[in-house]
Amino acid sequence: MTDAAAFAPIPFIDLGAQRRRLGSAVDTAIMKVVDHGAYIMGPEVFALEKALTDFCGAKHAISCSSGTDALALILMAKGVKPGDAVLCPAFTFAATAEVVAWLGASPVFVDVHAETFNIDRASLVQGLATAKAAGLTPVGVIAVDLFGQAADYDAIEPFCAENGLWLLDDAAQSFGGTHKGRKIGTIGMATATSFFPAKPLGCYGDGGAVFTDEDGLADVIRSLRIHGQNNEDKYDNQRIGMTGRMDTMQAAVLIEKLKIFPDEIEARNAVAARYNEALAELVDVPRVADGLVSVWAQYTILLRGRDRAAFAARLKAQGIPTAIYYPRPLHQQTAYRRYPVAGNGLPVSDRLARDVISLPMHPYLDQTLQDRVIESVRAAVAA
């Protein structure tokens, strides 16, 4: 390898490599939509929804305009309103709590496990007590499957059942994964996912989907995503809804990408396993719980108190990009500081925000590139 090649920047996520693998299939699919002209709710939308249900086993897949809108549609269908409380983790992207606040309800922030980055049941117990003490009515839990790994549903599902709460799986980063034989999309009363381009299964713009086995809930969500219309008479709006449709071109792209998705999940797991083996003695590497399959939306390490900015700068000098998910937990962000926090604080979320950093992760990261990442991490840790 030449000196120039040794330091040439590598992609954090290589969508170009995926496009080269797919060849002309996506172009052909897009041009088919261009030619038939059904740009909104065209036949590819319904073909995608069928392919998604076949893939994950959910009874209903309802495509929509984004992962955020997928969450919002579910909460709207459940009638979430002012005075309600929804428990959700603080260590996640803002969309998880944002949709609760949209409806005038209160997100109640709970802490996560340091090993998995996902909700801690003990903090859920504290969050429930906090919500009640604040005079709120707890109605549900949004469990986030952060970075591609399912949350601890063996603990979360009984908690929800015992306390009369519904469970919504925020699978924006985990669609394609499994939890002890159950595929993501079949857990809880509903699941929301995102098809943002950087997600493991991403389109060429914004997109998302809702999954549920509940017929009535599915009917209401289909109505809400198109202005609350009557599903039999579009000019008889039965509800206050939204414009939440996925456009037909994005559906066409996803149909082609879904065909290679299982291979890509396998490749992501191979990359993560090789990273873990090489880096475990240097940093805290992510671990997947027994019986779970992650889709590795991100590969996130903890630096054991090292200077994160200096570490990132050393990797950048070697052509290795990094990212921080997330530098500030939700309960510390300006828009969310007024909402309740479980117990006396969220120490794990606070610590993770200081220490986490993510390394390049995608299915087309060959062993030569993996070795560059590994050697750069070793050098950065030793410096």
Side-chain angles (χ1 to χ4, degrees), residues 365-381:
L365 200 65
D366 62 32
Q367 290 200 357
T368 298
L369 293 178
Q370 292 170 38
D371 288 342
R372 275 190 61 191
V373 174
I374 290 164
E375 291 307 315
S376 295
V377 170
R378 286 175 174 160
V381 168

Side-chain angles (χ1 to χ4, degrees), residues 247-266:
D247 74 70
T248 309
M249 287 188 186
Q250 301 306 333
V253 170
L254 287 166
I255 288 169
E256 298 306 317
K257 286 194 174 191
L258 188 59
K259 294 174 183 176
I260 64 170
F261 193 36
D263 289 345
E264 291 185 331
I265 295 170
E266 185 175 345

Side-chain angles (χ1 to χ4, degrees), residues 19-378:
R19 180 165 172 76
R20 290 189 291 274
R21 176 182 177 183
L22 287 165
S24 63
V26 171
D27 295 349
T28 300
I30 290 172
M31 288 309 301
K32 183 178 178 182
V33 176
V34 171
D35 290 339
H36 69 52
Y39 305 132
I40 301 295
M41 300 303 288
E44 287 82 359
V45 170
F46 302 101
L48 173 65
E49 292 177 345
K50 175 62 165 60
L52 291 171
T53 59
D54 290 344
F55 179 86
C56 75
K59 187 174 182 181
H60 301 278
I62 306 157
S63 61
C64 62
S65 45
S66 71
T68 305
D69 285 346
L71 291 168
L73 285 164
I74 297 167
L75 296 189
M76 291 168 69
K78 294 299 291 183
V80 172
K81 61 188 183 302
D84 289 345
V86 178
L87 310 182
C88 63
F91 193 66
T92 183
F93 184 63
T96 306
E98 180 180 40
V99 293
V100 179
W102 277 0
L103 299 175
S106 177
V108 176
F109 295 117
V110 301
D111 216 347
V112 298
H113 291 286
E115 297 78 15
T116 65
F117 310 110
N118 286 330
I119 276 184
D120 181 352
R121 186 188 187 280
S123 191
L124 279 174
V125 173
Q126 293 178 322
L128 185 66
T130 297
K132 291 178 177 179
L136 299 168
T137 302
V139 294
V141 172
I142 303 179
V144 178
D145 304 332
L146 204 66
F147 303 148
Q149 176 176 193
D152 182 7
Y153 291 110
D154 286 346
I156 298 169
E157 287 179 305
F159 170 84
C160 290
E162 291 162 9
N163 292 286
L165 306 174
W166 46 252
L167 171 61
L168 193 169
D169 179 5
D170 181 345
Q173 300 180 11
S174 67
F175 184 70
T178 61
H179 181 277
K180 298 186 177 179
R182 293 190 295 170
K183 291 188 176 182
I184 298 299
T186 62
I187 298 169
M189 60 93 182
T191 297
T193 198
S194 168
F195 299 128
F196 184 79
K199 294 296 192 288
L201 180 63
C203 52
Y204 284 177
D206 273 320
V210 173
F211 301 90
T212 185
D213 287 342
E214 297 182 14
D215 295 342
L217 184 65
D219 287 343
V220 173
I221 289 170
R222 288 191 180 99
S223 169
L224 289 169
R225 75 169 167 177
I226 309 179
H227 303 290
Q229 70 181 26
N230 183 331
N231 290 325
E232 303 300 325
D233 178 359
K234 70 179 182 178
Y235 293 114
D236 177 20
N237 294 293
Q238 296 179 314
R239 304 170 179 88
I240 304 299
M242 63 192 294
T243 306
R245 301 166 296 209
M246 174 186 287
D247 74 70
T248 309
M249 287 188 186
Q250 301 306 333
V253 170
L254 287 166
I255 288 169
E256 298 306 317
K257 286 194 174 191
L258 188 59
K259 294 174 183 176
I260 64 170
F261 193 36
D263 289 345
E264 291 185 331
I265 295 170
E266 185 175 345
R268 286 175 178 272
N269 276 275
V271 173
R274 199 157 182 267
Y275 274 170
N276 275 9
E277 183 178 3
L279 301 177
E281 294 183 1
L282 306 173
V283 295
D284 291 343
V285 298
R287 301 292 185 183
V288 176
D290 290 343
L292 277 60
V293 175
S294 175
V295 293
W296 296 99
Q298 307 294 344
Y299 182 88
T300 301
I301 60 175
L302 278 75
L303 291 178
R304 299 176 181 173
R306 294 182 177 87
D307 185 326
R308 182 167 62 186
F311 177 87
R314 294 184 189 112
L315 265 63
K316 183 178 180 180
Q318 300 295 315
I320 309 299
T322 58
I324 301 171
Y325 306 105
Y326 298 94
R328 193 186 296 268
L330 292 180
H331 68 291
Q332 293 186 9
Q333 295 184 21
T334 303
Y336 297 98
R337 287 176 185 160
R338 67 185 181 90
Y339 292 108
V341 171
N344 295 318
L346 309 178
V348 176
S349 295
D350 292 338
R351 180 170 67 85
L352 292 176
R354 293 191 300 266
D355 285 354
V356 294
I357 192 165
S358 298
L359 303 177
M361 166 55 74
H362 58 79
Y364 304 98
L365 200 65
D366 62 32
Q367 290 200 357
T368 298
L369 293 178
Q370 292 170 38
D371 288 342
R372 275 190 61 191
V373 174
I374 290 164
E375 291 307 315
S376 295
V377 170
R378 286 175 174 160

